[in-house]
């Protein structure tokens, strides 16, 4: 009979080293799981014996974190904590994640179309389970309640699917199918998605009928474009995922088409935002978002002819990610 081979765990040695240090500190554990993402970021789950203190004052979270820092060479932060006493389980589970090497400052500025009660734009900024940061804008076609409904469906589904672990292509196709299944001809929405990997220093961006993304690096401003149709028009989403390497000091700008279309002086309307960014003296994300929105409204003589959304993201080195000895 052929003996069944079990796959060797590449982290066996590290787990034994962690366990030995935990034993030295008299920290009783019942298991360790280590996962490493393609970016190099670690996720570590520690299964801990239940204690008799529901307030958590006897938990060894900080001590365990310092041991992980030492063995794996990253600074670790607690991502999730499951208390056995509170959840009526036999033990506790602590989930740690390598700290980001970069930090992000987000600024958001929005405005509703003149004489409209609701905005057709929706946006989201949230951290995902793998530590990456999701930033997205959806612009529902037209304005008012129907536009708001389609854009909200798009961003809410996007958040739920990504957090549930669905891949990008499946997520976009499900959103596309949901909007298309309404049977309404105007039930579609653009999707502008940025996924920031603040550990690896990388950004993935996906565009379904969305405006360009602007990246300001020092004095230069680059436009990141993709030619695709909005979600809900075709039976299957036309998904193209682009990669962009980030650097300290980069400022990323996303906006809905109400912002781009506000200027009528240029044949290529997207250029006015580029020129404005080149002349800006501030690197504060919220101030940048506010300034772009104010300029867009001024471009049309102080009247908003469409819903407008601007998101600015400033990338900085994360000083806290350094391991403290």
């Amino acid at each position: 009979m052929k003996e069944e081979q079990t796959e060797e765990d590449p982290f066996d040695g590290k787990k034994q080293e962690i366990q030995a240090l935990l034993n030295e500190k008299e920290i009783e554990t019942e298991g360790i799981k280590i996962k490493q993402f393609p970016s190099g970021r670690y996720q570590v789950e520690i299964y801990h014996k239940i204690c008799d203190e529901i307030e958590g004052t006897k938990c060894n979270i900080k001590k365990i974190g310092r041991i992980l820092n030492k063995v794996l060479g990253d600074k670790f932060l607690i991502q999730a904590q499951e208390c056995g006493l509170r959840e009526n389980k036999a033990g506790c589970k602590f989930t740690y994640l390598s700290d980001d090497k970069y930090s992000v400052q987000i600024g958001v500025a929005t405005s509703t179309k003149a004489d409209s009660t609701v905005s057709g734009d929706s946006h989201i900024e949230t951290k995902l389970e793998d530590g990456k940061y999701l930033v997205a804008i959806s612009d529902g076609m037209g304005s008012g309640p129907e536009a708001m409904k389609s854009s909200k469906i798009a961003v809410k589904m996007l958040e739920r699917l990504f957090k549930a672990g669905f891949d990008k292509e499946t997520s976009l196709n499900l959103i596309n199918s949901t909007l298309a299944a309404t049977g309404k001809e105007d039930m579609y929405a653009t999707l502008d998605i940025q996924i920031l990997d603040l550990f690896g220093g990388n950004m993935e961006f996906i565009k379904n009928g969305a405006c360009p993304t602007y990246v300001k690096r020092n004095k230069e401003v680059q436009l990141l474009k993709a030619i695709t149709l909005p979600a809900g028009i075709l039976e299957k989403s036309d998904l193209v995922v682009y990669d962009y390497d980030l650097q300290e000091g980069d400022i990323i700008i996303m906006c809905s088409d109400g912002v781009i279309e506000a200027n009528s002086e240029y044949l290529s309307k997207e250029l006015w935002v580029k020129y404005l960014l080149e002349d800006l003296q501030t690197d504060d994300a919220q101030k940048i978002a506010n300034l772009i929105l104010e300029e867009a409204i001024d471009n049309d003589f102080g009247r908003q002819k469409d819903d407008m959304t601007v998101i600015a993201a400033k990338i900085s080195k994360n000083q806290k990610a350094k391991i403290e000895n």
Side-chain angles (χ1 to χ4, degrees), residues 302-322:
R303 184 177 174 82
Q304 304 93 317
K305 64 179 180 183
D306 198 358
D307 304 316
M308 301 182 192
T309 301
V310 183
I311 300 178
K314 164 75 184 299
I315 306 299
S316 303
K317 276 282 187 183
N318 187 4
Q319 299 301 321
K320 293 181 181 178
K322 295 178 181 177

Side-chain angles (χ1 to χ4, degrees), residues 33-74:
K33 285 185 181 179
I34 300 176
K35 178 180 179 179
Q36 191 170 30
F37 297 104
S39 64
R41 187 200 294 268
Y42 288 103
Q43 184 184 64
V44 183
E45 294 177 352
I46 303 288
Y47 295 85
H48 196 283
K49 285 194 173 182
I50 201 163
C51 66
D52 57 1
E53 172 58 75
I54 200 166
E55 297 301 323
T57 55
K58 292 185 180 179
C59 294
N60 294 295
I61 291 172
K62 289 184 179 178
K63 287 181 182 178
I64 295 170
R66 285 195 288 269
I67 288 170
L68 298 181
N69 295 349
K70 184 175 182 179
V71 175
L72 295 173
D74 280 351

